[in-house]
Amino acid sequence: MLAERRHQLILRALRSGGPAAVTDLSEQLGVSPATVRRDLVKLEEEGLLTRVHGGAAIEEGDQPFAEVAEMRVPEKDAIAVRAASMVEDGQSVLLDIGTTAYRLARQLHGRRLTVITSNLVVYEELADDTGIELILLGGMVRREYRSLVGFLTEDNLRQLHAEWLFLGTSGIRPDGQVMDTTVVEVPVKRAMIAAADAVVLLADAGKFPGTGMAKVCGPGALDTVVTNAPADPATSAAFDEAGVKVVEV
């Protein structure tokens, strides 16, 4: 069995049945425990699972793009429309991974812009729009999450500059910390922040507090938050203290 197929089956087993032992995965796949362990190391490096004692698990909330894309679509569209109105023709825009950034890309058709992204769905959405100069960052493909990650992505970002970054998140802590469920995405997000003049966080109501164990940045790295619901008092106070503008739609 090819490694890519084994990886797909391992991820499917963990999503459907929860944490699993190496021995159980070995029996299901018909391969040796040593092969499974190597596969788990590779998948953990890609941020697709977490190894635990004797096996592996997928962190709750770390869902494939196709699943997340169907959640809270009207709310994401309202946020996307407001975010798109902030950008002027002729400007450069960095779009993060995630489904809200994809909804934002749908609002940019017909505009004269430069769009830079590691989001493969954004690339596919805008590829045929000849008015948009489209820059796809290099990197390792995370197929189920439709993104590019790794040192190549980060190196590309160090050579680029954008006037706007529209940043996604899996959760915002009460102290304003921006979190992510997948460690491998964090360095790319930080490189995007460093490459942009203005950082706009796109966060629907489900992101307060949301999920995530990996810190992307503090509230001081943000300029604006566009959301469809007011944050809790503690988070609002953290944003106010950091000088972050909160735009409710």
Side-chain angles (χ1 to χ4, degrees), residues 156-186:
N156 283 179
L157 284 163
R158 280 190 279 269
Q159 299 176 60
L160 296 169
H161 167 265
E163 286 154 295
W164 295 94
L165 163 62
F166 291 97
L167 184 69
T169 180
S170 61
I172 303 165
R173 295 289 178 254
D175 61 358
Q177 303 292 323
V178 179
M179 309 300 290
D180 200 88
T181 56
T182 309
V183 173
V184 73
E185 297 284 0
V186 171

Side-chain angles (χ1 to χ4, degrees), residues 12-222:
R12 184 180 302 169
L14 295 176
R15 290 195 188 97
S16 62
V22 168
T23 51
D24 292 337
L25 293 170
S26 172
E27 290 178 4
Q28 290 179 42
L29 299 176
V31 297
S32 70
T35 297
V36 171
R37 291 190 187 94
R38 287 194 295 271
D39 289 340
L40 296 182
V41 169
K42 177 65 174 175
L43 289 167
E44 185 176 51
E45 288 174 351
E46 295 181 8
L48 299 177
L49 55 74
T50 300
R51 284 187 297 157
V52 297
H53 182 67
I58 291 180
E59 184 180 340
E60 184 180 354
D62 194 12
Q63 298 167 280
F65 186 98
E67 294 178 13
V68 182
E70 299 176 0
M71 300 167 60
R72 301 188 293 273
V73 172
E75 292 88 344
K76 292 173 183 177
D77 278 341
I79 291 168
V81 169
R82 182 64 180 86
S85 72
M86 301 169 68
V87 181
E88 298 179 3
D89 280 1
Q91 292 189 320
S92 53
V93 178
L94 256 171
L95 292 184
D96 191 15
I97 67 158
T99 57
T100 309
Y102 161 61
R103 305 308 300 188
L104 173 53
R106 291 170 61 92
Q107 300 297 325
L108 299 179
H109 282 295
R111 304 284 301 275
R112 186 174 56 83
L113 300 168
T114 297
V115 174
I116 307 164
T117 191
S118 61
N119 187 327
L120 293 173
V121 182
V122 167
Y123 167 77
E124 291 164 2
E125 177 68 28
L126 299 177
D128 294 330
D129 192 324
T130 57
I132 292 177
E133 185 174 351
L134 186 57
I135 299 174
L136 180 64
L137 299 166
M140 180 178 64
V141 177
R142 299 182 70 222
R143 289 177 176 82
E144 292 202 54
Y145 301 90
R146 309 306 305 276
S147 66
L148 294 155
V149 297
F151 75 93
L152 292 173
T153 319
E154 297 159 42
D155 282 350
N156 283 179
L157 284 163
R158 280 190 279 269
Q159 299 176 60
L160 296 169
H161 167 265
E163 286 154 295
W164 295 94
L165 163 62
F166 291 97
L167 184 69
T169 180
S170 61
I172 303 165
R173 295 289 178 254
D175 61 358
Q177 303 292 323
V178 179
M179 309 300 290
D180 200 88
T181 56
T182 309
V183 173
V184 73
E185 297 284 0
V186 171
V188 176
K189 288 177 180 285
R190 290 177 178 171
M192 286 184 170
I193 291 169
D197 289 336
V199 179
V200 181
L201 183 68
L202 308 177
D204 62 60
K207 304 302 175 64
F208 297 92
T211 58
M213 63 175 182
K215 176 184 172 182
V216 175
C217 67
L222 307 175

